[in-house]
């Protein structure tokens, strides 16, 4: 019998740490593996009739689970399938939420489809990408998402959300802001570019490809991105303890130009900045700039490789908090607060965490 035809498996008191890339956190009261869309719906019903809270688990790459775990139902989304929609020339592909994100990127790149090659090597599943509008090296998932098919927990219907409905912005969408916990993502439709022409916006890639003199193939861009991510410890590798993380732990703050100027003056007064130095910045939206949180962390006095109990800062990138082995969620939380407090004391801005926190935190 095909696995998808087996009944929904209902497990109890299952430790969640092994299901996350950071590897911290206690057990789920119930743990359900949903291998088909029907099983996802069945899982929702299971939780509803018991009035238990639900947490939807994809690849677990952007999560901090509390040491006490989750007192409700964790549904692990494992539906599969990558399917072209309509005419091949439309570049439209429908992908089940449970598909591993990088497997989908590889699938697309090998078919000369452009639009997600810069998002190579990102851990997690397809269903997680719209939630925080995953982005890297100048591309964001929200730029190529045409439709998100969801189960609406309020109306208990399956419905389609358009790109505009999702309200994508930097690391945000309705799924992690206004409509948190309302929708369960079942599948995502992407429209990729059939001309296979990558867009090289990001300075590190522009430099790598000689400033646009030669337009690389999407496969070359994928390889360059994977290489860059490996160097930053942002590709999962069991032999590299710097990769036991939730990726970037903080968002890059977005500031008004006037606020940035004030920050610079104050940082110089506190000697966190030399008179000749300025704070790095990237244009975000007109009149606003994005400041790299990694830079703020290092200039607030933390070095790469900083240790706090069993948690630490990656030796390769100041924005990744790592589990050095045997860390508790509390260790990670304490380190997060140390960094937030210190960056705020020096630069006057409180860094906002990027991962989702699951369960109770003190
Ligand atoms: N920097 C430091 N110290 C470091 C690393 C970086 O000071 O250890 C400074 C440098 O000035 C550098 C700047 O930060 O030029 C930017 O660094 P980087 O290019 O690595 O990008 P980032 O802003 O730190 C963002 C995303 C990453 C994504 C990279 C590459 C966020 C929060 N993070 O990081 O996304 O891979 O760009 O495009 O926007 C993730 O979200 O989990 C993630 C890994």
């Amino acid at each position: 019998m095909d696995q998808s035809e087996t009944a929904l498996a209902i497990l109890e008191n299952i430790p969640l740490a092994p299901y996350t890339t950071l590897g911290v956190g206690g057990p789920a009261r119930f743990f359900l593996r949903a291998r088909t869309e029907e099983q996802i719906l069945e899982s929702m019903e299971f939780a509803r009739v018991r009035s238990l809270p639900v947490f939807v688990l994809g690849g677990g790459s952007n999560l901090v689970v509390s040491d006490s775990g989750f007192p409700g139902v964790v549904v692990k989304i494992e539906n599969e399938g990558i399917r072209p929609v309509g005419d091949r020339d439309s570049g439209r592909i429908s992908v089940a939420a449970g598909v591993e994100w990088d497997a989908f990127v590889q699938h697309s790149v090998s078919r000369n489809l452009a639009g997600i090659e810069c998002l190579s090597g990102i851990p997690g599943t397809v269903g997680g990408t719209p939630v925080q509008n995953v982005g890297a090296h100048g591309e964001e998932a929200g730029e190529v998402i045409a439709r998100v098919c969801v189960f609406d927990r309020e109306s208990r219907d399956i419905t389609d959300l358009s790109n505009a409905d999702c309200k994508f912005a930097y690391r945000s969408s309705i799924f992690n802001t206004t409509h948190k916990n309302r929708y369960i993502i079942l599948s995502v439709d992407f429209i990729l570019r059939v001309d296979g022409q990558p867009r090289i916006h990001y300075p590190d890639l522009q430099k790598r490809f000689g400033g646009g003199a030669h337009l690389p193939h999407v496969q070359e861009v994928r390889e360059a991105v994977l290489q860059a991510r490996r160097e930053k410890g942002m590709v999962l590798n069991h032999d590299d303890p710097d990769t036991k993380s939730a990726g970037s732990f903080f968002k890059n703050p977005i500031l008004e130009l006037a606020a940035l100027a004030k920050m610079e003056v104050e940082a110089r007064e506190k000697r966190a900045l030399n008179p000749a130095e300025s704070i790095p910045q990237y244009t975000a939206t007109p009149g606003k700039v994005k400041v790299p949180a990694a830079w703020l962390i290092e200039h607030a006095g933390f070095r790469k490789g900083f240790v706090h109990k069993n948690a630490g800062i990656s030796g390769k990138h100041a924005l990744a908090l790592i589990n050095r082995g045997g860390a508790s969620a509390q260790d990670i939380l304490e380190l997060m607060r140390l960094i937030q407090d210190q960056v705020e004391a020096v630069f006057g801005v409180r860094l906002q965490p990027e991962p989702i926190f699951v369960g109770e935190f003190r």
Side-chain angles (χ1 to χ4, degrees), residues 253-263 285-291:
I254 296 175
L255 304 176
E256 304 272 347
L257 287 169
L260 177 72
K262 185 163 169 267
M263 183 188 267
T285 47
K288 290 191 179 174
V289 287
K290 213 187 260 181
V291 174

Side-chain angles (χ1 to χ4, degrees), residues 142-158:
E143 292 162 358
V144 286
I145 290 174
R147 180 194 77 134
V148 181
C149 177
V150 296
F151 172 69
D152 181 345
R153 294 179 65 200
E154 244 169 51
S155 67
R156 287 160 59 204
D157 278 335
I158 292 179

Side-chain angles (χ1 to χ4, degrees), residues 208-231:
R208 163 79 177 69
F209 292 112
H214 141 78
L215 190 65
H217 188 270
V218 273
Q219 184 66 42
E220 289 176 81
V221 178
R222 172 170 167 79
E223 274 148 30
V225 167
L226 286 174
Q227 179 63 25
R229 288 186 70 89
R230 268 187 214 109
E231 284 162 14

